Amino acid sequence: MALTKEEDVQMMLVCKTHLGTRNCDYRMKRYVFRRTVDGIHIIHLGKSWEKIMVAARVIAAIENPADIIVASQRPYGSRAVLKFSQYTGANAMAGRWMPGTLTNQITTKYLEPRLLIVTDPRTDSQALKEASYANIPVIALCDTDSPLENVDIAIPSNNKGKESIALLYWLLAREVQYLRGTLSRTAGWDIMVDSFFWRDP
């Protein structure tokens, strides 16, 4: 089982987490390692790994895990989000984000979370906007072209591929369980990454 940064980074390479896009947002420049010949930006995986550790500490610091919302409008992220919430106790919002979830008190689905985690700042822009109105900190999986407005912790990664999204949520869930003490670091986690992969129904 992966216990070190090197092994985690190797898994990220296999899952193509390092492949960004051709465009690069100026705020994401610091996470870019270099550009390939055909113009694709390569993300620095050491920094990705460090940001996952930072994000996991933030998640583990929230006493009641039900106060965390994990959102993904992207179909590829939906299964990963549900699995993540199963292992960490967070609140999953896979599929369409109901506008007003964080701002409209009249609705039955109104929630007041302590933390919001989104799969892509661009597709989950509605969630991000509402979080900014309600002063909720945001952790986001950001590609090289993602807008970083209202994002507090960006995890630089490829958020387009299903394997990449799944691996990131798996690493986050594992690290959160380590920090909470539900898993011991010596034993490793016996859940496979594959259970987070999106599968076509």
Side-chain angles (χ1 to χ4, degrees), residues 124-139:
D124 298 311
S125 56
Q126 180 67 33
L128 230 71
K129 198 167 157 192
E130 291 178 24
S132 74
Y133 291 152
N135 291 335
I136 295 163
V138 176
I139 296 174

Side-chain angles (χ1 to χ4, degrees), residues 53-188:
M53 297 301 131
V54 172
R57 289 187 182 188
V58 173
I59 296 165
I62 288 173
E63 302 86 37
N64 177 13
D67 283 343
I68 302 167
I69 291 185
V70 201
S72 169
Q73 288 201 28
R74 226 179 229 159
Y76 282 173
S78 54
R79 189 176 181 206
V81 159
L82 292 164
K83 287 285 183 186
F84 177 83
S85 59
Q86 177 192 331
Y87 292 118
T88 58
N91 200 343
M93 302 265 297
R96 183 170 181 270
W97 175 271
M98 192 74 185
T101 305
L102 307 179
T103 49
N104 186 357
Q105 293 90 354
I106 305 169
T107 51
T108 47
K109 292 191 173 157
Y110 178 67
L111 294 164
E112 295 190 73
R114 297 265 311 273
L115 179 68
L116 176 70
I117 306 172
V118 295
T119 310
D120 183 356
R122 196 164 262 130
T123 52
D124 298 311
S125 56
Q126 180 67 33
L128 230 71
K129 198 167 157 192
E130 291 178 24
S132 74
Y133 291 152
N135 291 335
I136 295 163
V138 176
I139 296 174
L141 306 184
C142 298
D143 213 322
T144 50
D145 63 345
S146 296
L148 291 187
E149 277 94 9
N150 307 328
V151 173
D152 295 290
I153 297 179
I155 300 174
S157 60
N158 166 14
N159 58 20
K160 312 279 190 281
K162 48 188 161 209
E163 292 91 357
S164 177
I165 295 174
L167 177 70
L168 289 155
Y169 275 116
W170 182 84
L171 286 168
L172 259 179
R174 192 191 66 183
E175 190 59 30
V176 168
Q177 283 171 303
Y178 281 159
L179 289 169
R180 283 183 184 157
T182 45
L183 277 179
S184 79
R185 284 189 187 269
T186 49

